[in-house]
Amino acid sequence: MATATDHDVLIVGGGPSGLSAGIFTARADLNTLIVNDGDPILRRNAHLENYPGFPAGVNNRLLLDMMADQAERAGCERREARIVDLEPVDGRFVAETEAGGTLTATYVIAATKNTVDFVEGIDGVEIIDRGNTFVETDNRGRTGVPGLYAAGRLTLQPYQTIIVAGHGASVGVAVIEDSDVEFYHDWVAPDQYFTGRGRDLPPGCEEIDKEERERRERESLEVMREYFADPHPDEPNQHPSVREE
Ligand SMILES: Cc1cc2nc3c(=O)[nH]c(=O)nc-3n(C[C@H](O)[C@H](O)[C@H](O)COP(=O)(O)OP(=O)(O)OC[C@H]3O[C@@H](n4cnc5c(N)ncnc54)[C@H](O)[C@@H]3O)c2cc1C
């Protein structure tokens, strides 16, 4: 059982890729901590118009807030901290924060866009330098070090939010598949969808009846109305090179 600083999964970076990865690992009951320092770069966007599901676009900062809330609701713990060092020790990982704290985890997902300083000394991690730095992985985010993954733009994924979010999800599921969690899909299906056809409920799946489906839909509508009731209070972040008046 994990202690306060010991987790099954440590995700470094709380942008769309890290948050998406956490939604999946936490839903599979892997004790997940997302550590982020600074603003995800999506906060600089002015209006997000290519993220599927929002025909007229969506406020980018609202979407990030909603992703962070969903990660917490799925069971992730989130902390503001900068990871400055990571070491594999006896099949686990020990991470040091800038403030001098220590975190340990069985699996680590780096989702830090172009920041590689905390992984570049590790034997088995290949850094790609193209002016910006990236981490080489297989197509599910696995690095050359068992238990260490990278997700999102850090792995040279195309630079679109939906792509890095989807990649984070794929890496999160790779962690689940590589762990000893029994997993098939994390689907919510109508009552009897599997069991009514004589099949066992696959691990990770849930069947819900009409009453429960309607309750969840009511809750979802209420929650979404709140998010979309008013314009987001924050302005987009300017590029640091643009001087504030
Ligand atoms: C001006 C602008 C407009 C954009 N507009 C669009 C658009 O319209 N549509 C679109 O699809 N995409 C757009 N993008 C691209 C989109 O923002 C990125 O594809 C996406 O945010 C990348 O996500 P990520 O999770 O890989 O990285 P990030 O979102 O950058 O997340 C990485 C996080 O890790 C944190 N971090 C880094 N190092 C550490 C460390 N050592 N310890 C802890 N935390 C750390 C960072 O502070 C950051 O919060 C835009 C980008 C910019 C700059």
Side-chain angles (χ1 to χ4, degrees):
M1 198 64 192
T3 64
T5 57
D6 181 26
H7 291 80
D8 297 323
V9 184
L10 168 65
I11 298 176
V12 188
S17 59
L19 292 170
S20 298
I23 288 167
F24 283 81
T25 55
R27 277 172 63 86
D29 288 335
L30 289 169
N31 183 325
T32 301
L33 171 65
I34 302 175
V35 172
N36 185 67
D37 177 59
D39 276 332
I41 198 136
L42 184 61
R43 295 198 86 86
R44 294 189 195 166
N45 163 273
H47 193 238
L48 186 59
E49 299 189 344
N50 58 356
Y51 199 91
F54 300 97
V58 63
N59 181 294
N60 50 308
R61 295 167 311 285
L62 173 63
L63 183 71
L64 272 171
D65 293 350
M66 289 165 63
M67 285 183 180
D69 290 351
Q70 190 173 358
E72 281 184 6
R73 195 177 158 116
C76 291
E77 188 187 334
R78 292 198 307 124
R79 288 192 206 167
E80 285 297 318
R82 182 160 205 88
I83 301 300
V84 290
D85 189 46
L86 185 72
E87 302 282 344
V89 180
D90 297 335
R92 298 175 56 74
F93 293 90
V94 179
E96 299 297 329
T97 68
E98 194 171 47
T102 300
L103 306 166
T104 57
T106 310
Y107 302 97
V108 173
I109 302 175
T112 49
K113 199 169 78 70
N114 299 121
T115 304
V116 298
D117 53 358
F118 61 102
V119 291
E120 65 189 342
I122 302 175
D123 233 9
V125 173
E126 296 295 330
I127 304 294
I128 302 164
D129 193 338
R130 296 192 182 168
N132 281 327
T133 43
F134 304 90
V135 170
E136 189 163 305
T137 66
D138 73 5
N139 69 351
R140 300 297 301 281
R142 297 178 185 93
T143 69
V145 181
L148 178 58
Y149 302 71
R153 182 62 181 156
L154 184 64
T155 66
L156 269 170
Q157 294 298 311
Y159 203 9
Q160 273 80 29
T161 304
I162 184 64
I163 297 176
V164 297
H167 187 251
S170 174
V171 176
V173 173
V175 170
I176 300 165
E177 290 168 355
D178 294 348
S179 76
D180 53 13
V181 170
E182 256 204 295
F183 184 76
Y184 171 68
H185 295 312
D186 60 346
W187 294 352
V188 182
D191 199 19
Q192 303 281 309
Y193 183 83
F194 295 103
T195 54
R197 293 181 290 149
R199 290 180 58 182
D200 289 340
L201 188 62
C205 288
E206 190 184 8
E207 290 180 340
I208 58 172
D209 62 16
K210 182 169 186 291
E211 197 182 332
E212 177 60 9
R213 179 176 59 73
E214 288 172 354
R215 187 198 67 72
R216 291 191 191 188
E217 186 171 14
R218 274 195 306 278
E219 186 186 5
S220 146
L221 288 174
E222 267 167 44
V223 168
M224 294 308 271
R225 270 188 212 105
E226 260 179 58
Y227 282 121
F228 286 94
D230 295 302
H232 197 278
D234 299 340
E235 284 294 310
N237 282 358
Q238 265 303 3
H239 188 274
S241 66
V242 179
R243 204 156 40 88
E244 298 283 341
E245 288 303 317

PDB file of all heavy atoms in Angstrom, residues 52-80:
ATOM      1  N   PRO A  52     -11.975  17.834 -30.958  1.00  0.00           N
ATOM      2  CA  PRO A  52     -13.283  17.261 -31.282  1.00  0.00           C
ATOM      3  C   PRO A  52     -14.254  17.310 -30.099  1.00  0.00           C
ATOM      4  O   PRO A  52     -13.856  17.139 -28.947  1.00  0.00           O
ATOM      5  CB  PRO A  52     -12.946  15.816 -31.644  1.00  0.00           C
ATOM      6  CG  PRO A  52     -11.534  15.859 -32.102  1.00  0.00           C
ATOM      7  CD  PRO A  52     -10.866  16.917 -31.264  1.00  0.00           C
ATOM      8  N   GLY A  53     -15.520  17.525 -30.417  1.00  0.00           N
ATOM      9  CA  GLY A  53     -16.551  17.570 -29.384  1.00  0.00           C
ATOM     10  C   GLY A  53     -17.019  18.973 -29.079  1.00  0.00           C
ATOM     11  O   GLY A  53     -17.986  19.143 -28.325  1.00  0.00           O
ATOM     12  N   PHE A  54     -16.333  19.966 -29.631  1.00  0.00           N
ATOM     13  CA  PHE A  54     -16.715  21.357 -29.380  1.00  0.00           C
ATOM     14  C   PHE A  54     -16.876  22.061 -30.727  1.00  0.00           C
ATOM     15  O   PHE A  54     -15.936  22.680 -31.236  1.00  0.00           O
ATOM     16  CB  PHE A  54     -15.659  22.064 -28.528  1.00  0.00           C
ATOM     17  CG  PHE A  54     -15.456  21.420 -27.184  1.00  0.00           C
ATOM     18  CD1 PHE A  54     -14.433  20.518 -26.977  1.00  0.00           C
ATOM     19  CD2 PHE A  54     -16.324  21.705 -26.132  1.00  0.00           C
ATOM     20  CE1 PHE A  54     -14.252  19.899 -25.754  1.00  0.00           C
ATOM     21  CE2 PHE A  54     -16.161  21.097 -24.901  1.00  0.00           C
ATOM     22  CZ  PHE A  54     -15.117  20.193 -24.708  1.00  0.00           C
ATOM     23  N   PRO A  55     -18.077  21.957 -31.345  1.00  0.00           N
ATOM     24  CA  PRO A  55     -18.252  22.440 -32.719  1.00  0.00           C
ATOM     25  C   PRO A  55     -17.891  23.914 -32.891  1.00  0.00           C
ATOM     26  O   PRO A  55     -17.408  24.301 -33.953  1.00  0.00           O
ATOM     27  CB  PRO A  55     -19.737  22.207 -32.996  1.00  0.00           C
ATOM     28  CG  PRO A  55     -20.194  21.234 -31.981  1.00  0.00           C
ATOM     29  CD  PRO A  55     -19.298  21.351 -30.796  1.00  0.00           C
ATOM     30  N   ALA A  56     -18.101  24.735 -31.870  1.00  0.00           N
ATOM     31  CA  ALA A  56     -17.773  26.161 -31.989  1.00  0.00           C
ATOM     32  C   ALA A  56     -16.483  26.489 -31.238  1.00  0.00           C
ATOM     33  O   ALA A  56     -16.215  27.640 -30.912  1.00  0.00           O
ATOM     34  CB  ALA A  56     -18.926  27.009 -31.462  1.00  0.00           C
ATOM     35  N   GLY A  57     -15.689  25.463 -30.940  1.00  0.00           N
ATOM     36  CA  GLY A  57     -14.463  25.686 -30.183  1.00  0.00           C
ATOM     37  C   GLY A  57     -14.740  25.734 -28.690  1.00  0.00           C
ATOM     38  O   GLY A  57     -15.896  25.654 -28.241  1.00  0.00           O
ATOM     39  N   VAL A  58     -13.664  25.830 -27.914  1.00  0.00           N
ATOM     40  CA  VAL A  58     -13.793  25.869 -26.451  1.00  0.00           C
ATOM     41  C   VAL A  58     -12.648  26.704 -25.898  1.00  0.00           C
ATOM     42  O   VAL A  58     -11.566  26.768 -26.494  1.00  0.00           O
ATOM     43  CB  VAL A  58     -13.774  24.425 -25.869  1.00  0.00           C
ATOM     44  CG1 VAL A  58     -12.440  23.728 -26.144  1.00  0.00           C
ATOM     45  CG2 VAL A  58     -14.101  24.410 -24.389  1.00  0.00           C
ATOM     46  N   ASN A  59     -12.925  27.359 -24.779  1.00  0.00           N
ATOM     47  CA  ASN A  59     -11.867  28.104 -24.098  1.00  0.00           C
ATOM     48  C   ASN A  59     -10.788  27.114 -23.635  1.00  0.00           C
ATOM     49  O   ASN A  59     -11.080  26.145 -22.919  1.00  0.00           O
ATOM     50  CB  ASN A  59     -12.474  28.861 -22.907  1.00  0.00           C
ATOM     51  CG  ASN A  59     -11.432  29.665 -22.166  1.00  0.00           C
ATOM     52  OD1 ASN A  59     -10.523  29.100 -21.562  1.00  0.00           O
ATOM     53  ND2 ASN A  59     -11.560  30.963 -22.208  1.00  0.00           N
ATOM     54  N   ASN A  60      -9.552  27.317 -24.065  1.00  0.00           N
ATOM     55  CA  ASN A  60      -8.458  26.394 -23.783  1.00  0.00           C
ATOM     56  C   ASN A  60      -8.182  26.253 -22.295  1.00  0.00           C
ATOM     57  O   ASN A  60      -7.880  25.168 -21.798  1.00  0.00           O
ATOM     58  CB  ASN A  60      -7.185  26.863 -24.506  1.00  0.00           C
ATOM     59  CG  ASN A  60      -6.902  28.330 -24.234  1.00  0.00           C
ATOM     60  OD1 ASN A  60      -7.773  29.183 -24.421  1.00  0.00           O
ATOM     61  ND2 ASN A  60      -5.716  28.641 -23.767  1.00  0.00           N
ATOM     62  N   ARG A  61      -8.312  27.367 -21.552  1.00  0.00           N
ATOM     63  CA  ARG A  61      -8.024  27.305 -20.113  1.00  0.00           C
ATOM     64  C   ARG A  61      -9.148  26.554 -19.385  1.00  0.00           C
ATOM     65  O   ARG A  61      -8.902  25.803 -18.438  1.00  0.00           O
ATOM     66  CB  ARG A  61      -7.809  28.720 -19.570  1.00  0.00           C
ATOM     67  CG  ARG A  61      -6.551  29.349 -20.210  1.00  0.00           C
ATOM     68  CD  ARG A  61      -6.395  30.831 -19.991  1.00  0.00           C
ATOM     69  NE  ARG A  61      -7.560  31.637 -20.267  1.00  0.00           N
ATOM     70  CZ  ARG A  61      -8.007  31.957 -21.495  1.00  0.00           C
ATOM     71  NH1 ARG A  61      -7.355  31.528 -22.577  1.00  0.00           N
ATOM     72  NH2 ARG A  61      -9.080  32.687 -21.641  1.00  0.00           N
ATOM     73  N   LEU A  62     -10.378  26.731 -19.878  1.00  0.00           N
ATOM     74  CA  LEU A  62     -11.492  25.959 -19.321  1.00  0.00           C
ATOM     75  C   LEU A  62     -11.269  24.463 -19.571  1.00  0.00           C
ATOM     76  O   LEU A  62     -11.450  23.638 -18.661  1.00  0.00           O
ATOM     77  CB  LEU A  62     -12.812  26.414 -19.960  1.00  0.00           C
ATOM     78  CG  LEU A  62     -14.036  25.576 -19.595  1.00  0.00           C
ATOM     79  CD1 LEU A  62     -14.322  25.657 -18.099  1.00  0.00           C
ATOM     80  CD2 LEU A  62     -15.266  26.041 -20.382  1.00  0.00           C
ATOM     81  N   LEU A  63     -10.848  24.121 -20.785  1.00  0.00           N
ATOM     82  CA  LEU A  63     -10.632  22.694 -21.084  1.00  0.00           C
ATOM     83  C   LEU A  63      -9.564  22.100 -20.161  1.00  0.00           C
ATOM     84  O   LEU A  63      -9.738  21.005 -19.624  1.00  0.00           O
ATOM     85  CB  LEU A  63     -10.230  22.507 -22.554  1.00  0.00           C
ATOM     86  CG  LEU A  63     -10.067  21.043 -22.965  1.00  0.00           C
ATOM     87  CD1 LEU A  63     -11.410  20.320 -23.027  1.00  0.00           C
ATOM     88  CD2 LEU A  63      -9.367  20.923 -24.310  1.00  0.00           C
ATOM     89  N   LEU A  64      -8.485  22.854 -19.938  1.00  0.00           N
ATOM     90  CA  LEU A  64      -7.442  22.364 -19.025  1.00  0.00           C
ATOM     91  C   LEU A  64      -7.986  22.188 -17.611  1.00  0.00           C
ATOM     92  O   LEU A  64      -7.700  21.192 -16.942  1.00  0.00           O
ATOM     93  CB  LEU A  64      -6.277  23.353 -18.984  1.00  0.00           C
ATOM     94  CG  LEU A  64      -5.175  23.176 -20.024  1.00  0.00           C
ATOM     95  CD1 LEU A  64      -4.229  24.365 -19.980  1.00  0.00           C
ATOM     96  CD2 LEU A  64      -4.404  21.873 -19.799  1.00  0.00           C
ATOM     97  N   ASP A  65      -8.784  23.169 -17.152  1.00  0.00           N
ATOM     98  CA  ASP A  65      -9.376  23.061 -15.809  1.00  0.00           C
ATOM     99  C   ASP A  65     -10.262  21.820 -15.721  1.00  0.00           C
ATOM    100  O   ASP A  65     -10.259  21.090 -14.729  1.00  0.00           O
ATOM    101  CB  ASP A  65     -10.221  24.302 -15.484  1.00  0.00           C
ATOM    102  CG  ASP A  65      -9.381  25.559 -15.339  1.00  0.00           C
ATOM    103  OD1 ASP A  65      -8.138  25.451 -15.292  1.00  0.00           O
ATOM    104  OD2 ASP A  65      -9.974  26.667 -15.281  1.00  0.00           O
ATOM    105  N   MET A  66     -11.042  21.597 -16.792  1.00  0.00           N
ATOM    106  CA  MET A  66     -11.946  20.443 -16.791  1.00  0.00           C
ATOM    107  C   MET A  66     -11.156  19.130 -16.795  1.00  0.00           C
ATOM    108  O   MET A  66     -11.526  18.175 -16.111  1.00  0.00           O
ATOM    109  CB  MET A  66     -12.887  20.513 -18.013  1.00  0.00           C
ATOM    110  CG  MET A  66     -13.918  21.620 -17.897  1.00  0.00           C
ATOM    111  SD  MET A  66     -14.731  22.008 -19.475  1.00  0.00           S
ATOM    112  CE  MET A  66     -15.564  20.497 -19.846  1.00  0.00           C
ATOM    113  N   MET A  67     -10.056  19.093 -17.557  1.00  0.00           N
ATOM    114  CA  MET A  67      -9.223  17.876 -17.564  1.00  0.00           C
ATOM    115  C   MET A  67      -8.632  17.623 -16.179  1.00  0.00           C
ATOM    116  O   MET A  67      -8.575  16.482 -15.717  1.00  0.00           O
ATOM    117  CB  MET A  67      -8.069  18.026 -18.559  1.00  0.00           C
ATOM    118  CG  MET A  67      -8.452  17.890 -20.004  1.00  0.00           C
ATOM    119  SD  MET A  67      -6.912  18.024 -20.991  1.00  0.00           S
ATOM    120  CE  MET A  67      -7.572  17.830 -22.638  1.00  0.00           C
ATOM    121  N   ALA A  68      -8.178  18.710 -15.528  1.00  0.00           N
ATOM    122  CA  ALA A  68      -7.581  18.558 -14.196  1.00  0.00           C
ATOM    123  C   ALA A  68      -8.642  18.067 -13.204  1.00  0.00           C
ATOM    124  O   ALA A  68      -8.382  17.176 -12.386  1.00  0.00           O
ATOM    125  CB  ALA A  68      -6.974  19.880 -13.731  1.00  0.00           C
ATOM    126  N   ASP A  69      -9.862  18.629 -13.303  1.00  0.00           N
ATOM    127  CA  ASP A  69     -10.945  18.183 -12.408  1.00  0.00           C
ATOM    128  C   ASP A  69     -11.280  16.711 -12.670  1.00  0.00           C
ATOM    129  O   ASP A  69     -11.547  15.950 -11.741  1.00  0.00           O
ATOM    130  CB  ASP A  69     -12.200  19.042 -12.616  1.00  0.00           C
ATOM    131  CG  ASP A  69     -12.004  20.464 -12.099  1.00  0.00           C
ATOM    132  OD1 ASP A  69     -10.986  20.727 -11.436  1.00  0.00           O
ATOM    133  OD2 ASP A  69     -12.885  21.319 -12.364  1.00  0.00           O
ATOM    134  N   GLN A  70     -11.266  16.330 -13.952  1.00  0.00           N
ATOM    135  CA  GLN A  70     -11.595  14.935 -14.281  1.00  0.00           C
ATOM    136  C   GLN A  70     -10.520  13.988 -13.732  1.00  0.00           C
ATOM    137  O   GLN A  70     -10.831  12.897 -13.253  1.00  0.00           O
ATOM    138  CB  GLN A  70     -11.737  14.779 -15.793  1.00  0.00           C
ATOM    139  CG  GLN A  70     -12.317  13.425 -16.199  1.00  0.00           C
ATOM    140  CD  GLN A  70     -12.614  13.339 -17.686  1.00  0.00           C
ATOM    141  OE1 GLN A  70     -12.424  14.315 -18.422  1.00  0.00           O
ATOM    142  NE2 GLN A  70     -13.083  12.192 -18.123  1.00  0.00           N
ATOM    143  N   ALA A  71      -9.255  14.430 -13.801  1.00  0.00           N
ATOM    144  CA  ALA A  71      -8.174  13.598 -13.260  1.00  0.00           C
ATOM    145  C   ALA A  71      -8.379  13.410 -11.748  1.00  0.00           C
ATOM    146  O   ALA A  71      -8.235  12.301 -11.218  1.00  0.00           O
ATOM    147  CB  ALA A  71      -6.818  14.229 -13.558  1.00  0.00           C
ATOM    148  N   GLU A  72      -8.747  14.485 -11.066  1.00  0.00           N
ATOM    149  CA  GLU A  72      -8.975  14.375  -9.614  1.00  0.00           C
ATOM    150  C   GLU A  72     -10.180  13.495  -9.325  1.00  0.00           C
ATOM    151  O   GLU A  72     -10.170  12.666  -8.425  1.00  0.00           O
ATOM    152  CB  GLU A  72      -9.163  15.765  -9.000  1.00  0.00           C
ATOM    153  CG  GLU A  72      -7.833  16.461  -8.816  1.00  0.00           C
ATOM    154  CD  GLU A  72      -7.932  17.812  -8.117  1.00  0.00           C
ATOM    155  OE1 GLU A  72      -9.037  18.183  -7.649  1.00  0.00           O
ATOM    156  OE2 GLU A  72      -6.896  18.502  -8.073  1.00  0.00           O
ATOM    157  N   ARG A  73     -11.229  13.700 -10.095  1.00  0.00           N
ATOM    158  CA  ARG A  73     -12.442  12.910  -9.891  1.00  0.00           C
ATOM    159  C   ARG A  73     -12.165  11.418 -10.129  1.00  0.00           C
ATOM    160  O   ARG A  73     -12.738  10.552  -9.478  1.00  0.00           O
ATOM    161  CB  ARG A  73     -13.512  13.427 -10.851  1.00  0.00           C
ATOM    162  CG  ARG A  73     -14.901  12.985 -10.538  1.00  0.00           C
ATOM    163  CD  ARG A  73     -15.855  13.644 -11.527  1.00  0.00           C
ATOM    164  NE  ARG A  73     -17.053  12.884 -11.603  1.00  0.00           N
ATOM    165  CZ  ARG A  73     -18.241  13.337 -11.225  1.00  0.00           C
ATOM    166  NH1 ARG A  73     -18.376  14.564 -10.804  1.00  0.00           N
ATOM    167  NH2 ARG A  73     -19.309  12.573 -11.309  1.00  0.00           N
ATOM    168  N   ALA A  74     -11.244  11.129 -11.068  1.00  0.00           N
ATOM    169  CA  ALA A  74     -10.883   9.730 -11.331  1.00  0.00           C
ATOM    170  C   ALA A  74     -10.053   9.148 -10.188  1.00  0.00           C
ATOM    171  O   ALA A  74      -9.873   7.941 -10.099  1.00  0.00           O
ATOM    172  CB  ALA A  74     -10.105   9.631 -12.641  1.00  0.00           C
ATOM    173  N   GLY A  75      -9.517  10.039  -9.326  1.00  0.00           N
ATOM    174  CA  GLY A  75      -8.758   9.552  -8.163  1.00  0.00           C
ATOM    175  C   GLY A  75      -7.313  10.012  -8.114  1.00  0.00           C
ATOM    176  O   GLY A  75      -6.572   9.631  -7.217  1.00  0.00           O
ATOM    177  N   CYS A  76      -6.881  10.818  -9.091  1.00  0.00           N
ATOM    178  CA  CYS A  76      -5.489  11.302  -9.075  1.00  0.00           C
ATOM    179  C   CYS A  76      -5.297  12.306  -7.950  1.00  0.00           C
ATOM    180  O   CYS A  76      -6.170  13.131  -7.679  1.00  0.00           O
ATOM    181  CB  CYS A  76      -5.148  12.040 -10.368  1.00  0.00           C
ATOM    182  SG  CYS A  76      -5.058  11.001 -11.812  1.00  0.00           S
ATOM    183  N   GLU A  77      -4.118  12.264  -7.380  1.00  0.00           N
ATOM    184  CA  GLU A  77      -3.677  13.345  -6.494  1.00  0.00           C
ATOM    185  C   GLU A  77      -2.863  14.290  -7.372  1.00  0.00           C
ATOM    186  O   GLU A  77      -2.156  13.837  -8.279  1.00  0.00           O
ATOM    187  CB  GLU A  77      -2.798  12.734  -5.414  1.00  0.00           C
ATOM    188  CG  GLU A  77      -2.405  13.670  -4.320  1.00  0.00           C
ATOM    189  CD  GLU A  77      -1.395  13.022  -3.366  1.00  0.00           C
ATOM    190  OE1 GLU A  77      -1.377  11.776  -3.253  1.00  0.00           O
ATOM    191  OE2 GLU A  77      -0.620  13.778  -2.779  1.00  0.00           O
ATOM    192  N   ARG A  78      -2.983  15.607  -7.126  1.00  0.00           N
ATOM    193  CA  ARG A  78      -2.190  16.555  -7.926  1.00  0.00           C
ATOM    194  C   ARG A  78      -1.385  17.439  -6.990  1.00  0.00           C
ATOM    195  O   ARG A  78      -1.878  17.871  -5.957  1.00  0.00           O
ATOM    196  CB  ARG A  78      -3.109  17.434  -8.798  1.00  0.00           C
ATOM    197  CG  ARG A  78      -3.801  16.645  -9.892  1.00  0.00           C
ATOM    198  CD  ARG A  78      -4.348  17.540 -10.999  1.00  0.00           C
ATOM    199  NE  ARG A  78      -5.198  18.599 -10.495  1.00  0.00           N
ATOM    200  CZ  ARG A  78      -5.014  19.900 -10.717  1.00  0.00           C
ATOM    201  NH1 ARG A  78      -3.983  20.305 -11.457  1.00  0.00           N
ATOM    202  NH2 ARG A  78      -5.839  20.789 -10.214  1.00  0.00           N
ATOM    203  N   ARG A  79      -0.126  17.675  -7.355  1.00  0.00           N
ATOM    204  CA  ARG A  79       0.714  18.578  -6.556  1.00  0.00           C
ATOM    205  C   ARG A  79       1.470  19.521  -7.461  1.00  0.00           C
ATOM    206  O   ARG A  79       1.858  19.139  -8.567  1.00  0.00           O
ATOM    207  CB  ARG A  79       1.765  17.794  -5.768  1.00  0.00           C
ATOM    208  CG  ARG A  79       1.204  17.007  -4.633  1.00  0.00           C
ATOM    209  CD  ARG A  79       2.339  16.509  -3.746  1.00  0.00           C
ATOM    210  NE  ARG A  79       1.890  15.303  -3.074  1.00  0.00           N
ATOM    211  CZ  ARG A  79       2.682  14.471  -2.431  1.00  0.00           C
ATOM    212  NH1 ARG A  79       3.970  14.701  -2.384  1.00  0.00           N
ATOM    213  NH2 ARG A  79       2.193  13.401  -1.837  1.00  0.00           N
ATOM    214  N   GLU A  80       1.701  20.732  -6.944  1.00  0.00           N
ATOM    215  CA  GLU A  80       2.581  21.685  -7.623  1.00  0.00           C
ATOM    216  C   GLU A  80       3.990  21.445  -7.123  1.00  0.00           C
ATOM    217  O   GLU A  80       4.270  21.639  -5.935  1.00  0.00           O
ATOM    218  CB  GLU A  80       2.161  23.127  -7.273  1.00  0.00           C
ATOM    219  CG  GLU A  80       0.910  23.613  -7.975  1.00  0.00           C
ATOM    220  CD  GLU A  80       1.052  23.680  -9.486  1.00  0.00           C
ATOM    221  OE1 GLU A  80       2.115  24.123  -9.979  1.00  0.00           O
ATOM    222  OE2 GLU A  80       0.104  23.260 -10.177  1.00  0.00           O
TER     223      GLU A  80
END
